[in-house]
């Protein structure tokens, strides 16, 4: 092993000798011009023991990486002394930037040894810490939020020399700060910080960033690119497209993500020969090939159904509405993928619910885009429809600068695919391409989360004022994000309708169906290919093959397939290998566990994943630290996170079970 320092052996003079990074002209980064960052890459990590005899967790070793130097300690007292020694080497306004992979976890322990002030903690949600500051010289940032990758994924994709050991490590073993660690255990501990520092250096170099300019999150890089590009778009036109508070509320109500559903008629059955088709870059496709709201919103008071239909179907306006339906029901009671989500309905009366989707209701209200309304009118009948709030604007292409950035990312990703030596650049371009949608759909009203007196509080802020403040500096439009997911659902709906009664399962940009040889996507793909050529949504890979946005491509073939509902299925591929997708269950470990205990035949209600169920975190917020006596030694317990194994048992809700077992009941209601 390379030399590992203790707090006594570490040469602290390297801190004072290191220069501070220089701000780059034209890229000033953060506004705090007084803060100076030492040109030293640092990482911090702790290892903890979960002691279920007292239902507490405690740190037994910490590791700190400064460039090539690794420092370890066994107690928080040593860590505080270590920070004190570093502080002696720093001048006023000089800081160390320290990355922690999943800072939220370490923060729970750090707050047990340091009284964080409100202005020293920046969180995106309760217990979701993006950045924190200690002693006016140390800035901790979360590298997980920066990369949106696990540490193993990040280090692997950056091609670092120090990779995670990957060896089996017994996390259930009880270790204390005085427990002697083997060389293998010690190597496992320090590899994380070594690998993180090396990977961060590669990442910063690729993005041409330093500590002043680096983004806080993975979407920050795209935010920077799009913001720069949108400087070439008319700012007054952009401002007109922003929503006022009333329109924003309807947009937020109408927004929903991908369409994920299983055909209730085929649930709990092993089905043979199931094909899966994925749509190439579904969200970027609609951003390039479809139309979006591109003007100032106009309100229609007391609008009739005829007037609404004229605006939608004849004048082809982008429309946003609150609407009520009386006695709404599926046109085809046998249809296996109802569109209306129960959780988006208001004033919902008597109804029949297919695993979260409405098959029938005597009354409901819901907020919709015209895209959603078209799908509903195609799929449902109703006795009466009433529009309570109705807004419309013109349709048009997304701003040209934004479309150019999307195409740039898509072409870069395609041209770098499978190119030796360009793996890192390929992964980053792929991440950026997929991040633009997330950027557009970020909630424009961001209420501040404050950490005060060991509690997470929402700052009392006026949402209308927050929205107005956002709109003045916005370079994206929230409605564009809402429409993006709606348009992608429309393209998925076309595929679901195309496969018809062969439909088995769908998820956001993919559809699975019984492959009887009669279903082809050639016609759809031919049309979409023409759209992508026309709008620039195509690129050629190094082998000379041209790829087009939005085409349905064959992804996999299941010899046998079974589903129990959304995010809950398993299948055998053509080679007989077992695969699972169950929310909250490890895919690889779960597939092995299922294979060892009966395979697809065992995938049914009551099956429990013991090994693959993952873990759950229990936060112990301790305001008054206490000591426990262990082996004649005293161990101080402060705030901590107890991590315990979590089991997952396959099950069905009572309502869904009734629908699956007694279809005659709800079929009678639909008549």
């Amino acid at each position: 092993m390379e030399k590992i320092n203790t707090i006594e052996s570490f040469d602290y003079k390297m801190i004072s000798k290191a220069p501070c990074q220089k701000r780059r002209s034209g890229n000033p980064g953060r506004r705090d011009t007084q803060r100076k960052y030492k040109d030293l890459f640092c990482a911090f990590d702790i290892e903890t023991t979960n002691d279920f005899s007292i239902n507490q967790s405690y740190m037994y070793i910490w590791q700190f990486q400064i460039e090539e130097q690794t420092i370890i300690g066994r107690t928080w007292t040593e860590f505080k002394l270590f920070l004190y020694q570093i502080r002696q080497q720093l001048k006023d306004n000089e800081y160390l930037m320290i990355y922690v992979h999943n800072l939220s976890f370490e923060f729970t322990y750090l707050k047990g040894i340091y009284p964080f002030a409100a202005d020293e903690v920046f969180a995106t949600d309760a217990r979701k810490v993006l950045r924190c500051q200690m002693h006016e010289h140390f800035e901790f940032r979360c590298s997980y939020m920066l990369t949106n990758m696990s540490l193993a994924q990040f280090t692997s994709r950056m091609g670092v020399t120090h990779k995670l050991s990957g060896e089996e490590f017994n996390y259930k073993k009880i270790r204390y700060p005085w427990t002697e660690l083997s060389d293998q255990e010690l190597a496992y501990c320090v590899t994380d910080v070594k690998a993180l520092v090396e990977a961060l250096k590669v990442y910063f170099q690729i993005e041409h960033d330093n500590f002043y300019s680096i983004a806080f999150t993975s979407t920050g890089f795209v935010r920077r690119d799009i913001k720069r590009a949108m400087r070439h778009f008319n700012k007054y036109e952009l401002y007109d497209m922003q929503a006022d508070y009333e329109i924003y509320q309807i947009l937020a109500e109408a927004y929903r993500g991908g369409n994920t559903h299983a055909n209730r008629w085929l649930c709990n059955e092993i089905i043979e020969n199931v094909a899966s088709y994925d749509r190439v870059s579904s969200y970027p496709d609609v951003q390039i090939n479809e139309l979006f709201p591109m003007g100032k919103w106009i309100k229609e008071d007391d609008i009739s159904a005829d007037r609404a239909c004229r605006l939608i179907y004849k004048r082809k306006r982008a429309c946003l509405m609150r609407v009520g339906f009386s006695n709404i029901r599926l046109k085809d009671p046998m249809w296996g993928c109802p569109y209306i989500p129960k959780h988006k309905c208001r004033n919902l009366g008597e109804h029949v619910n297919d695993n979260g989707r409405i098959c029938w209701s005597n009354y409901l209200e819901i907020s919709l885009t015209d895209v959603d309304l078209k799908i509903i009118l195609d799929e449902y009948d109703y006795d009466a429809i009433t529009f309570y709030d109705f807004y419309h604007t013109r349709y048009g292409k997304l701003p040209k600068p934004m479309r150019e950035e999307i195409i740039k990312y898509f072409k870069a990703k395609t041209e770098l695919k499978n190119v030796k030596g360009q793996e890192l650049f390929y992964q980053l371009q792929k991440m950026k391409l997929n991040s633009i949608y997330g950027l557009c759909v970020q909630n424009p009203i961001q209420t501040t989360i404050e950490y005060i007196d060991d509690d997470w509080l929402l700052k009392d802020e006026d949402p209308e004022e927050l929205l107005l403040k956002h709109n003045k500096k916005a370079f994206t439009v929230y409605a564009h994000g809402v429409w993006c997911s709606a348009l992608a659902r429309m393209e998925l709906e076309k595929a679901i309708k195309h496969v018809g009664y062969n439909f088995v399962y769908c998820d956001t940009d993919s559809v699975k169906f019984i492959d009887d040889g009669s279903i082809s996507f050639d016609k759809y793909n031919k049309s979409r290919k023409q759209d992508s050529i026309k709008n620039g949504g195509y690129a050629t890979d190094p082998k000379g093959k041209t790829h087009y946005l939005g085409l349905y491509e064959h992804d996999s073939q299941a010899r046998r397939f079974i589903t129990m509902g959304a995010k809950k299925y398993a299948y055998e591929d053509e080679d007989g290998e077992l695969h699972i997708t169950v929310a909250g269950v490890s895919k690889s470990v779960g597939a092995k566990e299922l294979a060892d205990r009966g395979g697809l035949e065992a995938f049914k209600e009551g099956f429990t994943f013991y090994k693959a169920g993952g873990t759950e975190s229990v936060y112990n917020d301790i305001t008054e630290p206490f000591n426990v006596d262990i082996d004649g030694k005293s161990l101080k317990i402060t705030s901590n996170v107890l991590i315990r194994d979590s089991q997952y048992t396959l099950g069905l809700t009572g309502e869904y079970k009734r629908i699956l077992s007694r279809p005659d009941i709800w079929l009678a209601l639909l008549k």
Side-chain angles (χ1 to χ4, degrees):
M1 291 180 57
E2 298 176 25
K3 181 182 177 182
I4 298 177
N5 297 283
T6 64
I7 64 170
E8 290 82 13
S9 64
F10 176 63
D11 179 13
Y12 292 93
K13 292 297 183 182
M14 74 169 290
I15 305 294
S16 58
K17 292 177 182 178
C20 291
Q21 287 190 349
K22 294 182 179 179
R23 293 178 180 272
R24 295 170 184 171
S25 59
N27 190 10
R30 54 182 293 154
R31 294 180 180 178
D32 184 359
T33 57
Q34 300 301 314
R35 185 167 298 193
K36 300 175 182 178
Y37 292 110
K38 282 289 187 176
D39 193 11
L40 297 168
F41 279 84
C42 303
F44 174 64
D45 184 33
I46 66 173
E47 299 297 337
T48 63
T49 281
N50 300 298
D51 193 336
F52 295 102
S53 66
I54 56 174
N55 285 323
Q56 301 288 335
S57 174
Y58 41 82
M59 182 271 293
Y60 65 86
I61 185 173
W62 57 263
Q63 41 274 349
F64 202 104
Q65 190 75 17
I66 305 180
E67 293 292 331
E68 289 80 23
Q69 299 295 314
T70 307
I71 307 95
I72 65 168
R74 304 300 298 272
T75 67
W76 286 117
T77 300
E78 287 181 303
F79 182 67
K80 289 191 287 185
L81 181 57
F82 174 65
L83 295 185
Y84 174 78
Q85 298 279 22
I86 292 179
R87 285 160 58 193
Q88 304 309 303
Q89 307 298 321
L90 296 171
K91 298 176 182 178
D92 290 346
N93 298 323
E94 288 186 342
Y95 277 75
L96 277 190
M97 177 79 79
I98 307 158
Y99 276 98
V100 185
H101 213 75
N102 191 13
L103 176 58
S104 301
F105 178 82
E106 269 76 6
F107 177 81
T108 305
Y109 292 84
L110 289 174
K111 73 185 181 72
I113 66 166
Y114 180 82
F116 286 98
D119 61 355
E120 291 181 313
V121 180
F122 178 57
T124 58
D125 205 344
R127 301 192 188 279
K128 195 172 182 181
V129 181
L130 183 61
R131 180 186 70 200
C132 67
Q133 176 182 310
M134 292 177 67
H135 298 298
E136 297 183 344
H137 285 293
F138 305 101
E139 182 176 326
F140 293 85
R141 287 197 189 180
C142 183
S143 52
Y144 174 72
M145 293 191 193
L146 171 68
T147 63
N148 198 29
M149 290 182 274
S150 70
L151 186 56
Q153 289 175 322
F154 179 47
T155 54
S156 175
R157 290 180 179 178
M158 295 301 105
V160 301
T161 303
H162 296 288
K163 294 185 181 296
L164 296 175
S165 65
E167 297 172 5
E168 196 68 29
F169 188 80
N170 185 9
Y171 283 98
K172 296 182 179 180
K173 178 180 176 181
I174 301 296
R175 300 178 180 87
Y176 304 106
W178 54 83
T179 300
E180 185 175 350
L181 302 178
S182 68
D183 287 347
Q184 182 181 0
E185 289 175 318
L186 197 55
Y188 190 90
C189 293
V190 302
T191 297
D192 283 4
V193 287
K194 286 177 175 287
L196 181 54
V197 162
E198 194 166 342
L200 285 168
K201 286 187 172 185
V202 176
Y203 198 56
F204 273 63
Q205 185 177 8
I206 291 173
E207 293 294 346
H208 305 290
D209 274 305
N210 60 14
F211 293 143
Y212 298 101
S213 63
I214 192 70
F216 285 108
T217 66
S218 58
T219 57
F221 300 103
V222 173
R223 176 185 297 275
R224 185 168 60 192
D225 289 347
I226 297 298
K227 185 176 183 179
R228 185 185 299 118
M230 288 297 288
R231 291 172 183 166
H232 302 289
F233 189 77
N234 188 309
K235 65 178 181 179
Y236 300 105
E237 185 178 350
L238 185 64
Y239 183 78
D240 280 345
M241 286 188 274
Q242 303 300 330
D244 64 24
Y245 189 65
E246 183 177 355
I247 296 171
Y248 156 75
Q249 288 179 301
I250 306 176
L251 284 169
E253 293 165 4
Y255 170 68
R256 56 185 281 206
N259 187 359
T260 304
H261 198 70
N263 189 339
R264 62 188 175 277
W265 299 106
L266 299 176
C267 273
N268 288 337
E269 296 181 19
I270 295 179
I271 309 160
E272 295 184 352
N273 199 24
V274 173
S276 179
Y277 276 72
D278 287 0
R279 223 165 72 84
V280 177
S281 301
S282 182
Y283 287 158
D285 163 67
V286 296
Q287 288 171 322
I288 295 301
N289 288 322
E290 298 297 330
L291 302 178
F292 289 77
M294 286 295 292
K296 193 175 183 65
W297 292 98
I298 300 171
K299 186 175 184 179
E300 292 271 343
D301 294 314
D302 300 321
I303 187 171
S304 66
D306 287 342
R307 168 68 174 166
C309 287
R310 283 198 300 273
L311 287 169
I312 294 171
Y313 290 100
K314 187 173 181 180
R315 294 185 58 188
K316 301 187 184 305
R317 300 280 284 178
C319 300
L320 178 69
M321 66 207 79
R322 289 188 177 115
V323 60
F325 292 98
S326 297
N327 193 29
I328 186 168
R329 67 272 184 193
L330 286 172
K331 290 180 178 179
D332 180 1
M334 303 299 291
W335 183 237
C337 192
Y339 186 75
I340 299 177
K342 179 181 176 179
H343 76 282
K344 283 293 183 177
C345 296
R346 301 181 300 276
N347 299 321
L348 182 62
E350 292 183 56
H351 63 278
V352 173
N353 167 30
D354 169 14
N355 201 23
R357 302 301 177 82
I358 300 298
C359 295
W360 164 83
S361 178
N362 63 354
Y363 185 77
L364 64 83
E365 294 174 6
I366 190 170
S367 299
L368 303 169
T369 68
D370 62 275
V371 180
D372 297 298
L373 182 66
K374 288 175 182 176
I375 297 174
I376 291 172
L377 295 184
D378 179 63
E379 201 168 283
Y380 292 82
D381 281 326
Y382 56 87
D383 288 352
I385 183 171
T386 305
F387 296 96
Y388 296 100
D389 297 286
F390 196 98
Y391 291 85
H392 61 94
T393 186
R394 66 179 178 87
Y395 263 126
K397 287 289 187 181
L398 282 181
K400 185 178 179 181
M402 179 176 287
R403 285 184 283 126
E404 289 175 342
E405 286 297 305
I406 295 169
I407 292 172
K408 181 184 75 174
Y409 290 152
F410 177 66
K411 288 188 174 181
K413 183 198 81 164
T414 305
E415 291 167 358
L416 294 172
K417 189 172 183 179
N418 297 325
V419 177
K420 190 174 181 179
Q422 298 296 312
E423 294 84 1
L424 303 183
F425 296 95
Y426 166 76
Q427 290 293 343
L428 291 174
Q429 294 302 322
K430 182 178 179 180
M431 287 165 53
K432 289 180 178 180
L433 178 66
N434 295 330
S435 294
I436 296 179
Y437 159 72
L439 178 65
C440 293
V441 83
Q442 282 184 343
N443 193 331
I445 297 180
Q446 296 289 344
T447 305
T448 304
I449 302 291
E450 293 185 309
Y451 178 74
I452 301 176
D453 296 331
D454 202 23
D455 199 4
W456 303 97
L457 304 172
L458 280 175
K459 189 175 181 180
D460 186 15
E461 298 174 288
D462 185 341
E464 294 190 48
E465 290 184 6
L466 288 176
L467 182 63
L468 184 62
K469 182 179 178 181
H470 165 272
N471 289 348
K472 288 180 179 179
K473 60 181 181 180
F475 54 91
T476 59
V477 178
Y478 183 53
H480 292 167
V482 175
W483 250 258
C484 181
S485 61
L487 290 165
R489 288 193 302 275
M490 172 66 87
E491 296 309 309
L492 179 64
E493 189 74 12
K494 292 176 183 178
I496 297 170
K497 293 287 187 182
H498 181 59
V499 303
Y501 291 120
N502 286 27
F503 168 74
V504 175
Y505 186 90
C506 66
D507 188 350
T508 308
D509 60 358
S510 68
V511 61
K512 303 181 190 300
F513 57 92
I514 298 172
D515 189 5
D516 59 7
S518 65
I519 297 170
S520 169
F521 286 93
D522 290 348
K523 184 177 180 180
Y524 176 93
N525 286 346
K526 182 179 180 181
S527 174
R528 208 58 178 178
K529 178 179 176 180
Q530 292 174 345
D531 291 337
S532 291
I533 292 173
K534 176 183 176 182
N535 296 310
Y538 63 94
T540 304
D541 66 22
K543 295 183 179 180
K545 180 180 178 181
T546 302
H547 299 260
Y548 305 89
L549 288 172
L551 273 59
Y552 276 100
E553 294 183 347
H554 184 264
D555 177 62
S556 64
Q557 196 78 15
R559 190 168 66 184
R560 299 198 305 157
F561 179 97
I562 186 170
T563 180
M564 290 179 61
K567 301 292 185 181
K568 202 181 301 182
Y569 64 84
Y571 69 93
E572 293 173 357
D573 62 23
E574 292 178 296
D575 296 324
E577 185 176 349
L578 195 62
H579 305 263
I580 71 161
T581 293
V582 178
V585 174
S586 166
K587 289 190 176 184
S588 57
V589 179
K592 186 178 185 306
E593 188 172 1
L594 182 63
D596 292 341
R597 294 169 51 205
L600 289 190
E601 281 74 13
F603 193 84
K604 57 186 178 182
E605 189 174 15
F607 181 91
T608 299
F609 290 95
Y610 296 102
K611 299 178 181 178
T615 59
E616 59 183 0
S617 299
V618 178
Y619 289 89
N620 293 316
D621 295 316
I622 297 174
T623 55
E624 294 293 334
F626 60 92
N627 294 317
V628 294
D629 292 326
I630 301 172
D631 299 334
K633 299 179 185 292
S634 183
L635 182 63
K636 189 176 183 179
I637 304 296
T638 58
S639 292
N640 61 83
V641 185
L642 182 71
I643 299 177
R644 60 192 182 194
D645 291 335
S646 176
Q647 300 174 359
Y648 183 93
T649 300
L650 294 174
L652 302 168
T653 64
E655 192 173 16
Y656 197 37
K657 285 172 69 173
R658 285 193 296 273
I659 285 180
L660 296 180
S661 61
R662 292 291 306 278
D664 56 305
I665 295 176
W666 65 270
L667 280 173
L669 289 171
L670 292 175
K671 292 181 180 178

